[in-house]
Structures are given as structure tokens and as C-alpha cells.
Amino acid sequence: MKNIIIFGAPGSGKGTYSDEIVSRYGMGHISTGDVLRAEIKNGTELGKLAKGLIDKGQLIPDDVMVNILAKVYDEKVPGKGVIFDGFPRTITQAEALKNMLADRHHELGNMIELIVDEETLMSRLLNRAKEQGRADDNEETIKARFQVYHNQTEPLAEWFEKEGIRHTFTWKGDKDTMLKEIFAFLDTQQ
Ligand code: ATP
Ligand code: MG
């Protein structure tokens, strides 16, 4: 399977659909949010830097993220294809990803964009706050994350469009329908 970049607002289901894609196609999964949360849990220097920013809904600096990404990518099984979940989030990160993959003679693959209305996003995240207690899932921080998403990440959709690999899927109120549409597309991309 080609690499996949799963792209969407906070709460759009990047992690959920990544898990489904992994079980169907057996690829690797890199969630930069999960990597950072593990660093926080282990109390590393990176974790300390990340916590301050994540709790405010801000992004971790690009150079830090790009280094982490390359390191985690190189630990994955070569040739299996990877889902990038939560990366890239800025144009700088996207350019770095493209170069990193080109250096390894790998392709960028496909970008899967999840479009979900903001009311649904907010209610999912507040619900997740009750279930998982993520520190950044409170109303104030969620609003900051939406703002950061609109300003810094959403413009990247155009970047992927220009690369000719943007594939958009819109939430219509039902997970199975969304999943069926994503699988129907990915089945043609083996
Ligand atoms: P969800 O997990 O619901 O999709 P999300 O996209 O906000 O929501 P994560 O991807 O888990 O959540 O990221 C959580 C936080 O980690 C971000 O708000 C940001 O502070 C930091 N982070 C994760 N990935 C990156 C990245 N590529 N660049 C900069 N910061 C990042
Ligand atoms: Mg996630």
C-alpha cells in the first residue's frame, strides 16, 4: 500500500480511521500526537516542551517535529506503507515530508481529507474529554486548536491539491458510510 496522509480538524477521526485502515491493509501508523503524549508521560525534555504548547492548543515548532518524524519513520518496516496521522500540519512540515521521502526514494502517496462540521467536532471532543481525560480536550483549548487548524493547517489542503493527491471525504452523520467510501477508494490504490 502507498503511504497515506490522513488530514482533518481536531476530532475529525484521524486516529479512528487510521486504526481501521491499519487493520484492513496492514500498514504502519505514525500519530505525532501519540508520540508527543508518550514523551510527556515519560517526562523527557521534549515532553516538557510539548506539554506547555499542547495544553495551550499551539503547535510544536516545525524543526522539532520534522526530526521526530524522520526518526519514527525510519523505525517502521520498509515497503509496507505508513499512515501519517497529525503530520504534516504546516506547509514547512509538508515540504520536509516530501523531501524526506524523496531522499529515501519513497512516494508521498495519497492524502485523505476528512471534512466534519464544527458542531460535531466540538461534541466529539467534549465527549472524549469525559472518556479519556485528555488535557487539551476542554472547551477553551479546543477553540484554540480550531483556530490554529484554520490558520496554519487548513491552507495545506491546497498544497496537496497541487501535488495531485488530495482526496476529500465528507461526514454525513454515519461512520460506516464514511469508512465504506474511504475503503472503496483505497482498494483501488494497492
Ligand atoms: P485528534 O487527535 O482528535 O485528531 P488533534 O488533531 O488536535 O485531535 P493530535 O494530532 O493528537 O490531536 O495532536 C495533539 C497536539 O499535539 C496538537 O494540538 C499539537 O499541539 C501537537 N502536535 C501533534 N502533531 C503535531 C505536528 N505535526 N506539528 C506540531 N504540533 C503537533
Ligand atoms: Mg488523534
Side-chain angles (χ1 to χ4, degrees):
M1 175 60 90
K2 289 184 193 169
N3 289 323
I4 294 171
I5 293 116
I6 195 148
F7 185 87
S12 57
K14 297 186 293 290
T16 307
Y17 295 110
S18 293
D19 290 344
E20 301 278 3
I21 294 169
V22 167
S23 10
R24 186 174 172 100
Y25 304 102
M27 20 190 346
H29 179 200
I30 298 175
S31 159
T32 45
D34 287 350
V35 171
L36 295 169
R37 282 184 287 275
E39 296 284 335
I40 294 174
K41 207 170 156 210
N42 294 331
T44 64
E45 282 306 310
L46 170 59
K48 282 175 204 155
L49 167 80
K51 185 167 169 43
L53 293 164
I54 290 178
D55 287 354
K56 291 202 289 275
Q58 303 301 313
L59 298 183
I60 278 68
D62 285 333
D63 55 337
V64 176
M65 289 314 299
V66 167
N67 285 331
I68 296 175
L69 203 270
K71 184 172 164 285
V72 179
Y73 183 75
D74 288 333
E75 287 162 2
K76 296 284 167 193
V77 182
K80 279 199 103 180
V82 160
I83 305 181
F84 298 101
D85 162 6
F87 189 100
R89 268 175 148 91
T90 63
I91 306 269
T92 304
Q93 291 182 13
E95 297 283 356
L97 178 64
K98 191 179 170 185
N99 293 335
M100 182 203 84
L101 292 168
D103 285 348
R104 291 157 178 75
H105 306 288
H106 297 173
E107 274 182 62
L108 209 43
N110 287 301
M111 180 269 224
I112 303 276
E113 181 180 27
L114 308 171
I115 304 275
V116 182
D117 59 281
E118 204 154 287
E119 205 184 315
T120 305
L121 294 173
M122 180 57 90
S123 84
R124 282 183 190 174
L125 292 168
L126 291 175
N127 211 36
R128 187 170 74 185
K130 284 185 211 139
E131 286 166 6
Q132 299 176 17
R134 243 175 75 170
D136 56 345
D137 284 343
N138 61 77
E139 198 160 346
E140 193 190 335
T141 308
I142 293 167
K143 284 188 180 148
R145 285 154 67 199
F146 285 165
Q147 205 55 47
V148 167
Y149 179 75
H150 289 310
N151 294 339
Q152 302 186 52
T153 305
E154 219 171 16
L156 252 184
E158 277 298 313
W159 186 93
F160 285 104
E161 177 88 39
K162 289 200 190 97
E163 292 288 319
I165 59 168
R166 178 185 184 185
H167 306 277
T168 302
F169 298 85
T170 304
W171 174 253
K172 300 181 200 81
D174 166 48
K175 184 184 161 194
D176 285 345
T177 307
M178 188 87 163
L179 207 50
K180 230 183 247 168
E181 290 176 4
I182 294 173
F183 285 165
F185 166 66
L186 290 176
D187 283 349
T188 69
Q189 300 294 309
Q190 300 280 359

